[in-house]
Amino acid sequence: MGAIFRREIGAFFTSSIAYIFLAVFWIFTGYFFYAGCLMSATTDMSVMFQSLFLICIFLIPILTMRLFSEEKKQKTEQGLLTAPVSLGEIVFGKYFAALTLYTIALAMPFLYALILSSFGNVEWGMLFANFLALFLLGAAFIAIGLLVSALTENQIAAAVVSFVVLMVFYMIDVINSYISNEIVTKVLDVLSFYRKYFAITCGLFNISTVVFYLSVAVVFNYFTIRVFERRRWS
């Protein structure tokens, strides 16, 4: 897995993807920090974190679009599948490479928090909960994008489909408001990404939310492995 991880990290930074992702993510975090904290003269960064949910929907598909679709397009997928490494190592090597780049992006909001702490009291407990929520959200979204990339050959198609899928998850609460069936409503409540994330940014930390995001990441990575198991034997 280490070799796959290093290969993908290198590919991110030798291409323009890492620089585009980091630059755009930091531009938006800077804007939301300025508008939500500096303009309001507050040390509460909740508004910034709430706004970053939608930014992740737009940017994470860019991060994941090439991970497997490029292998398929360049005809290097068969070499990867026949390499002396397990499918799990291949999938998780690529997954953790994308997650590492995403984690690097999260360094900027943490820097903003340190800047705020020099001007007033920062609620570090709530702040770390928000960071954890944003990290777990990215971990789940990256796993979803990875599966989409494994199912497509074109990078643009992978990015568009990932964006649509993530947008559907974002819109679950809106969709749920138009459904009267109680069973369906309860299922959609469980699957609501934004409601769980928003609750943490408001200070309502819940272990079940952590379990939910981790479960999504594990399940979608498992599906990706199964896709390649089927492809290997076919």
Side-chain angles (χ1 to χ4, degrees):
M1 186 175 75
I4 301 293
F5 174 84
R6 290 189 295 271
R7 173 177 176 262
E8 293 304 319
I9 286 290
F12 276 131
F13 284 96
T14 53
S15 67
S16 59
I17 291 178
Y19 305 104
I20 293 173
F21 176 80
L22 292 174
V24 175
F25 189 90
W26 288 343
I27 287 171
F28 277 106
T29 54
Y31 171 76
F32 292 133
F33 173 70
Y34 174 77
C37 298
L38 298 184
M39 289 292 290
S40 304
T42 179
T43 58
D44 184 6
M45 299 177 69
S46 298
V47 174
M48 184 191 76
F49 281 100
Q50 290 166 8
S51 302
L52 287 177
F53 186 100
L54 198 58
I55 301 305
C56 287
I57 290 178
F58 282 95
L59 291 184
I60 286 180
I62 296 175
L63 189 63
T64 60
M65 64 182 185
R66 57 161 292 279
L67 289 174
F68 281 116
S69 59
E70 187 179 37
E71 302 278 2
K72 200 170 182 181
K73 184 177 180 180
Q74 295 183 352
K75 310 301 182 183
T76 57
E77 183 185 63
Q78 289 304 317
L80 193 63
L81 293 177
T82 55
V85 290
S86 68
L87 294 176
E89 290 177 318
I90 295 172
V91 171
F92 282 107
K94 288 176 175 286
Y95 173 76
F96 284 120
L99 188 60
T100 298
L101 183 57
Y102 176 76
T103 305
I104 293 172
L106 298 186
M108 191 60 73
F110 187 77
L111 177 61
Y112 294 150
L114 292 177
I115 293 173
L116 283 181
S117 66
S118 63
F119 293 98
N121 294 323
V122 174
E123 295 184 18
W124 288 103
M126 183 172 178
L127 188 63
F128 282 119
N130 285 340
F131 272 108
L132 178 62
L134 189 58
F135 173 80
L136 292 172
L137 178 73
F141 280 0
I142 289 170
I144 295 170
L146 194 69
L147 175 61
V148 174
S149 181
L151 294 171
T152 54
E153 184 174 343
N154 184 279
Q155 293 186 40
I156 303 300
V160 171
V161 173
S162 294
F163 168 75
V164 171
V165 172
L166 296 182
M167 202 66 182
V168 169
F169 281 123
Y170 173 65
M171 296 293 291
I172 280 179
D173 293 321
V174 176
I175 297 170
N176 204 11
S177 64
Y178 291 98
I179 296 176
S180 57
N181 187 289
E182 186 176 350
I183 296 176
V184 176
T185 300
K186 288 181 178 179
V187 171
L188 291 179
D189 278 338
V190 172
L191 296 176
S192 174
F193 278 68
Y194 185 72
R195 182 180 297 179
K196 294 177 175 61
Y197 180 81
F198 183 79
I200 293 181
T201 62
C202 293
L204 302 175
F205 184 81
N206 196 323
I207 295 297
S208 64
T209 299
V210 177
V211 174
F212 171 77
Y213 285 128
L214 289 177
S215 299
V216 171
V218 170
V219 167
F220 276 89
N221 277 314
Y222 171 76
F223 287 158
T224 305
I225 293 172
R226 293 293 297 172
V227 166
F228 282 101
E229 280 183 352
R230 183 176 179 181
R231 198 171 290 169
R232 170 180 278 182
W233 294 110
S234 63

